[in-house]
Amino acid sequence: MSDDSLICIEEDPVPVKRRKIDIQNVPLRLVLIEPYRRIWKWLMSTFPCRYLGSCLLGCCKYVLHLFGLSSWIRKRTHSSETNDPPDPDEEERQRLVNQIRGLQSQLDDLNREHNALRYRHHEETANNQREIEHFKQLNRNSELRIMELNRERDELKKSKDEALSRLSEMMGVKLRENNPAITDLNDPNRPMKLGEQFNELYENEWTEAFLELQDLKTDDTSLNEEQAVKILLNILKEINEQGIAEFTLQLSGLLQSVQGLPEDDIKDFIKSIKDAYKANSGKYASLIHKKISTDALHCPTVVKYFQCCESYIENCAKICYLAAVQDPPMLLHFDPETVYDKQIFKEYTTMGRRVKFLVWPALFLHKGGPLLSKGVVQPLPDFILQVI
């Protein structure tokens, strides 16, 4: 196809009425770019050498530049682009880009703030760690100081207790000397304890010995209740008398050995001897127990019934000896009045006002002193009670 035919085809065959065109509203592409495109297309189709077309295009651009049309073309191009209707996708993309930039800016600010906080946290952690180590050291020093003070306190308390104990012992000795109303609470053989042991002796060993005596037969006859009671009472009385006599003999021998010394020295010496006797009462009581078991002259009842009443006799010897070495000695009351005092004695198996026989003696702190343990008597029944 020839160029003329192409021109003829592109021309309008029928003339149309020309319209007035507002060049301000026509896109620059239709005004300038489209002719160039058509010229370029024609050149490329007419001349096989593409380089020639490129050279012609470059010459056209140069001519336009010489005549100052390039700046005008750029302005028209820009104005045409601004006059084009906005693209929604482009606006959304631009909005998202701006949002991303804002978020990136916020992220950068947050990163800087985070780094500042991390640095400050690191500094505060290091400071806190140093303070913790400092306080730990102070705590260790305080604990060592507390341990040292506690040790000093314990030593002072121990010294104080020892001093108070010595002072209490000295004051106790002074107060207890010739004063039976005041006793040493640390002494297991003090009068109150002996009173309790005396009651236990009657309730336990006396009952067992009483049953043994009732089972004992002499000449195919058994002992009745009154005979068994009197035998046990005589055993206690003989042991008590022998214990008092033994202690008196020991004490008199000591008094003879210290004759001529000042009276105060003798009192202190006797006091120390009595304390020694009380501290070694178990040994002395066992010696007395062995002695009375064969002393038929002074203790005939004990020797006769020693086999069946051995436990009772042994405990009687211990209590009677401890009662004798007290300062002043304790008193076993074996002699009730005919009309007995109910504040001192209690009934055995019957009720009455007059004493038939004594069953168990009463125990006093000392002669004329307070009662520690009630005795037991078997009274005669009253006439009125017999009639009823």
Side-chain angles (χ1 to χ4, degrees):
M1 186 180 290
S2 63
D3 297 335
D4 293 335
S5 64
L6 289 172
I7 295 172
C8 290
I9 291 172
E10 292 178 355
E11 290 180 355
D12 294 333
V14 181
V16 294
K17 187 179 180 179
R18 298 286 183 178
R19 289 182 300 176
K20 187 178 180 178
I21 299 174
D22 188 4
I23 196 170
Q24 298 294 332
N25 296 323
V26 176
L28 184 62
R29 181 176 61 81
L30 297 177
V31 176
L32 296 175
I33 305 300
E34 186 65 23
Y36 283 110
R37 187 184 67 80
R38 290 184 179 185
I39 293 170
W40 172 259
K41 185 176 182 181
W42 177 77
L43 289 173
M44 291 300 295
S45 63
T46 303
F47 301 99
C49 181
R50 64 181 63 182
Y51 296 104
L52 179 60
S54 300
C55 291
L56 292 175
L57 182 60
C59 291
C60 292
K61 290 182 178 180
Y62 180 71
V63 170
L64 290 175
H65 178 69
L66 289 177
F67 287 98
L69 294 176
S70 60
S71 61
W72 181 78
I73 291 171
R74 283 194 299 271
K75 290 180 181 179
R76 291 298 295 171
T77 304
H78 179 70
S79 62
S80 65
E81 290 178 356
T82 55
N83 290 329
D84 290 339
D87 188 2
D89 294 337
E90 183 66 22
E91 289 182 354
E92 181 66 19
R93 186 185 69 82
Q94 189 65 31
R95 187 183 65 81
L96 292 176
V97 169
N98 294 333
Q99 186 177 0
I100 290 172
R101 289 176 180 174
L103 293 175
Q104 185 66 35
S105 178
Q106 294 179 6
L107 180 61
D108 294 338
D109 295 338
L110 290 175
N111 285 331
R112 286 192 296 271
E113 185 177 356
H114 174 67
N115 292 331
L117 290 175
R118 285 185 61 185
Y119 178 76
R120 189 161 60 250
H121 172 70
H122 178 72
E123 292 294 328
E124 290 179 356
T125 302
N127 293 333
N128 292 335
Q129 189 65 30
R130 286 192 294 270
E131 290 182 359
I132 289 172
E133 292 297 331
H134 176 67
F135 285 122
K136 283 184 177 179
Q137 185 63 34
L138 291 177
N139 188 30
R140 286 192 291 268
N141 295 335
S142 300
E143 289 179 353
L144 292 175
R145 181 59 179 166
I146 289 172
M147 292 176 60
E148 184 179 356
L149 291 175
N150 287 335
R151 186 168 58 253
E152 292 179 359
R153 183 199 62 185
D154 294 340
E155 292 177 356
L156 291 175
K157 185 177 179 181
K158 183 178 179 181
S159 301
K160 177 185 175 183
D161 292 340
E162 291 177 355
L164 289 175
S165 178
R166 290 194 300 270
L167 179 62
S168 176
E169 184 178 356
M170 292 174 61
M171 295 301 295
V173 171
K174 294 293 183 182
L175 290 173
R176 291 193 306 271
E177 188 174 358
N178 297 322
N179 188 0
I182 299 176
T183 59
D184 184 9
L185 297 179
N186 295 322
D187 185 7
N189 297 321
R190 59 185 182 273
M192 292 299 297
K193 289 293 183 180
L194 289 177
E196 295 174 2
Q197 295 176 21
F198 194 67
N199 286 329
E200 293 174 359
L201 174 65
Y202 174 68
E203 294 173 358
N204 299 323
E205 285 80 7
W206 185 92
T207 304
E208 294 176 2
F210 177 78
L211 296 176
E212 291 288 338
L213 288 175
Q214 284 192 323
D215 293 338
L216 184 66
K217 293 182 179 181
T218 56
D219 299 333
D220 294 332
T221 59
S222 300
L223 297 173
N224 58 28
E225 181 181 22
E226 183 176 354
Q227 291 175 337
V229 168
K230 289 184 177 180
I231 288 173
L232 295 176
L233 184 65
N234 288 332
I235 289 174
L236 178 62
K237 186 181 292 186
E238 291 174 359
I239 292 174
N240 183 56
E241 292 175 352
Q242 189 62 25
I244 294 174
E246 185 69 24
F247 179 70
T248 303
L249 180 62
Q250 294 173 357
L251 195 60
S252 62
L254 292 172
L255 289 175
Q256 290 179 0
S257 63
V258 295
Q259 284 182 355
L261 295 176
E263 185 176 354
D264 294 337
D265 295 341
I266 294 175
K267 289 182 179 180
D268 294 338
F269 177 72
I270 296 301
K271 181 66 174 60
S272 62
I273 292 300
K274 289 183 178 180
D275 292 339
Y277 282 152
K278 285 193 288 185
N280 297 280
S281 57
K283 297 179 180 180
Y284 290 117
S286 62
L287 292 175
I288 293 174
H289 173 249
K290 291 180 181 180
K291 182 177 180 179
I292 62 178
S293 63
T294 57
D295 190 1
L297 178 62
H298 299 95
C299 305
T301 310
V302 173
V303 174
K304 184 176 180 180
Y305 297 99
F306 182 80
Q307 296 297 328
C308 62
C309 304
E310 185 175 1
S311 178
Y312 172 72
I313 293 171
E314 181 179 0
N315 283 277
C316 286
K318 178 182 177 181
I319 293 175
C320 290
Y321 182 79
L322 287 173
V325 299
Q326 299 296 322
D327 189 19
M330 300 172 70
L331 175 66
L332 272 67
H333 183 46
F334 290 93
D335 299 318
E337 300 290 337
T338 303
V339 179
Y340 66 94
D341 187 356
K342 292 189 177 183
Q343 298 295 327
I344 300 175
F345 294 94
K346 56 185 177 181
E347 294 84 358
Y348 180 53
T349 58
T350 60
M351 302 292 292
R353 298 179 181 177
R354 301 173 66 84
V355 176
K356 181 179 180 182
F357 60 87
L358 177 67
V359 179
W360 191 250
L363 179 65
F364 289 87
L365 181 62
H366 55 86
K367 186 176 181 179
L371 178 69
L372 293 180
S373 176
K374 278 188 176 184
V376 181
V377 295
Q378 177 74 318
L380 292 169
D382 291 337
F383 179 74
I384 297 176
L385 293 177
Q386 290 179 358
V387 171
I388 291 175

